[in-house]
Amino acid sequence: MEMLTAQGMAMPKLGFGTWRLSGAEGQKSLESALALGYRHIDTAEMYANEEMVGAGIAAAGVPRGDLHVTTKVWYDHLAPDQIRHALDTSLKKLGLDYVDLYLVHWPTPGMDMASIFDTLTKEKEAGRIRAMGVANFTTPLLREAIETIGAPIACNQVEYHLFLDQTPVKSVLDKHGIPLVAYRPLALDILGDFPAVAEVAKKHDAAPTQIALKWLLDQTNVGAIPKAASEAHQKANLAALSIRFDDADRATLAALPKDRRLVNANFAPDWD
């Protein structure tokens, strides 16, 4: 598995997303993924499943040093004391001494960015996080964090898929050697609306979801965290790594519309 690296962090390009996985079935899915070889696990305090993730990790018995675990602090917990308390809670629920990557899940107006990253730096120095990062940061927010504040960001996790252009964000990240991790990477809500994807999939004896995933993973410094509850889907996502596109495939996929944002919460920043 190819790795993404930044700020001393290394994480597999293909991760296992846990949004909306919970309970015994969620734990079963996580244990299956770990048994198949997934080593990058993504969760968040907002997902309300960190205890399940921790139980799955413990049951799977994979050495802690072989795992990359990401969790996130929610946007209304960004004062220093709140960050520390949220991290305390996440670590206890996960049953871990540290997380590999701790993200600011969403930006919020008026947040004290300097204070946030100062707090995260202290947590890194204390060994409770290996690296810090952000999610859903726009290009102006990235520039403020990286270029003005000098925050040692190791990742920006954003919605990214075949039908959404993230060139401006990716350009800022590439300039500073920071990976982009794609959530909602398969765009399942609309994937079936575009026969061209199915045609490329048929050519490669693959599923459209595998084509969508491979399109992302072919890009430099881009990872993805699809949720895959079933073992069959987990295997299919791993198998996508072996697909090889030719120039005709790339042209077909590049021609698809790139303006279809699927996640736009009422607290989201101004994406433009």
Side-chain angles (χ1 to χ4, degrees), residues 1-14:
M1 176 74 69
E2 187 177 346
M3 306 293 282
L4 300 171
T5 59
Q7 300 294 338
M9 174 206 72
M11 65 178 170
K13 287 192 75 164
L14 177 59

Side-chain angles (χ1 to χ4, degrees), residues 134-172:
V134 296
N136 301 296
F137 268 40
T138 60
T139 51
L141 289 170
L142 286 172
R143 290 192 181 103
E144 181 181 353
I146 300 165
E147 298 171 5
T148 302
I149 295 172
I153 291 171
C155 165
N156 186 24
Q157 189 180 114
V158 294
E159 178 185 349
Y160 188 31
H161 47 72
L162 261 175
F163 311 106
L164 183 64
D165 178 35
Q166 287 285 19
T167 301
V169 164
K170 192 170 183 306
S171 294
V172 174

Side-chain angles (χ1 to χ4, degrees), residues 180-199:
L180 182 156
V181 174
Y183 70 77
R184 211 66 174 268
L186 307 183
L188 287 173
D189 314 58
I190 59 175
L191 187 60
D193 297 340
F194 297 93
V197 183
E199 291 171 9

